[in-house]
């Protein structure tokens, strides 16, 4: 499927939960968040059904994200439901990695191809400070588990303030070189203020090349991370929501006051 600007939309990012076991300073407020009501969260059947419709409209690439996708109960069942859909060439997940030790092998067996793991620092105390609650060792173990399970290529998402030459980012770069990991640098953004930027090492953030649709865990289809526009897949039906999202995808977003990183999934 193509949008008005002749961009081919073939990439669906699905946020499966707004919950997370970490509280990264740039993503979630310290006092916690107002969570979606349980009944508003899409069921596995709804997510898989919607994905199937998206694939029949030309989506070939699917990423599962969150919140933290691995805190959604039964996540490996959902992965296997999605991986069974014919036409998906690339099925990936973005995760903070803390629970991968437990899930990596099951995810691979369920049909997940690869993972992106978020890692902004390799300093234990700084990791604790950024995530407010996390233990860096869990992420290291998660990275090893992903490699052992064959979730290749294992990519690292590193959030930077301004430049990949910052001290923490340089240390993560060295760690990735030593451990055969690909790295993407994501400039810290503010959706509400409209501060956004391109991802170094990927095509995220480049409007001309944007091929993405995003589904939130409460069923809103968003054609642009930096726009308030969204379509309710329960109210409109899957096909109509996809049609409208493709028709009305903005050429370039400006700001987003209706969503946040933890419920859209970046
Ligand atoms: N919990 C998972 C994780 O952290 O990888 C998946 C969801 S998280 C919202 C997806 C990505 O968004 C992560 O790589 C995270 O670093 C990034 N992210 C979160 N808040 C951000 C912000 N304000 N600016 C830029 N990237 C952000
Ligand atoms: Fe959780 Fe990911 Fe947001 Fe960190 S970036 S708080 S791990 S959703």
């Amino acid at each position: 499927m193509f949008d008005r600007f002749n961009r081919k939309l073939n990439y669906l990012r699905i946020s499966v939960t707004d919950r997370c076991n970490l509280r990264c300073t740039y993503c979630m407020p310290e006092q916690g968040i107002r969570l979606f009501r349980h009944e508003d969260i899409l069921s596995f059947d709804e997510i898989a059904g919607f994905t199937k419709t998206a694939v029949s409209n030309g989506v070939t690439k699917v990423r599962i994200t969150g919140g933290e996708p691995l805190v959604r109960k039964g996540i490996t069942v959902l992965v296997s439901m999605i991986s069974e859909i014919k036409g998906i060439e690339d099925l990936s997940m973005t995760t903070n990695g803390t629970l991968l030790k437990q899930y990596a092998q099951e995810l691979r067996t369920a049909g997940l191809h690869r993972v992106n793991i978020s890692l902004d620092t390799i300093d234990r105390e700084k990791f604790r400070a950024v995530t407010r609650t996390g233990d860096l060792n869990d992420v290291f173990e998660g990275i090893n588990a992903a490699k052992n399970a064959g979730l290749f290529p294992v990519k690292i998402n590193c959030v930077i303030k301004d430049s990949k030459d910052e001290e923490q980012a340089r240390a993560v770069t060295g760690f990735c070189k030593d451990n055969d990991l690909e790295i993407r640098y994501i400039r810290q953004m503010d959706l509400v203020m409209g501060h956004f930027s391109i991802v170094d090492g990927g095509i995220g953030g480049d409007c001309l090349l944007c091929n993405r649709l995003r589904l939130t865990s409460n069923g809103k289809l968003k054609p642009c991370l930096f726009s308030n526009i969204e379509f309710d897949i329960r109210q409109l039906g899957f096909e109509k929501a996809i049609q409208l999202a493709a028709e009305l995808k903005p050429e370039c977003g400006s700001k987003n006051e209706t969503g946040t990183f933890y419920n859209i999934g970046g």
Side-chain angles (χ1 to χ4, degrees), residues 119-263:
L119 184 67
D120 308 333
T121 175
I122 53 165
D123 178 292
R124 183 172 294 272
E125 278 170 28
K126 292 203 168 72
F127 181 84
R128 183 77 179 188
V130 170
T131 62
R132 295 201 185 97
T133 55
D135 182 342
L136 182 58
N137 216 35
D138 293 338
V139 185
F140 288 156
E141 289 183 347
I143 291 171
N144 282 336
K147 288 167 94 176
N148 290 337
L151 291 166
F152 293 128
V154 177
K155 297 185 185 176
I156 297 296
N157 287 0
C158 179
V159 171
I160 53 173
K161 282 248 159 46
D162 292 306
S163 135
K164 59 183 179 187
D165 287 328
E166 287 158 14
E167 193 189 340
Q168 296 313 310
R170 280 165 66 148
V172 178
T173 306
F175 172 81
C176 289
K177 278 199 183 119
D178 294 345
N179 290 281
D180 204 16
L181 301 159
E182 283 184 37
I183 184 163
R184 302 261 176 287
Y185 305 95
I186 306 172
R187 183 91 62 88
Q188 190 173 320
M189 305 180 215
D190 187 322
L191 298 183
V192 177
M193 300 293 286
H195 298 155
F196 69 109
S197 56
I198 61 165
V199 172
D200 197 340
I203 62 160
D206 189 338
C207 302
L208 277 175
L209 300 175
C210 185
N211 57 354
R212 302 169 181 203
L213 293 175
R214 293 175 163 86
L215 180 66
T216 65
S217 57
N218 64 342
K220 307 287 197 280
L221 186 62
K222 299 186 77 72
C224 172
L225 178 60
F226 280 92
S227 158
N228 292 334
I229 300 175
E230 58 186 29
F231 302 97
D232 190 310
I233 68 163
R234 278 179 172 158
Q235 276 172 19
L236 292 162
F238 301 165
E239 195 71 53
K240 185 78 188 162
I242 291 171
Q243 257 176 36
L244 286 170
E247 261 169 45
L248 298 172
K249 183 174 167 79
E251 185 172 20
C252 211
S254 53
K255 57 183 158 184
N256 181 346
E257 290 139 329
T258 58
T260 53
F261 269 93
Y262 62 82
N263 65 35

Side-chain angles (χ1 to χ4, degrees), residues 26-27 65 67-68 94-96 118 157 159 187-189 261 265:
Y26 46 71
C27 182
T65 176
E68 173 47 42
T94 303
T95 167
N96 63 33
S118 299
N157 287 0
V159 171
R187 183 91 62 88
Q188 190 173 320
M189 305 180 215
F261 269 93

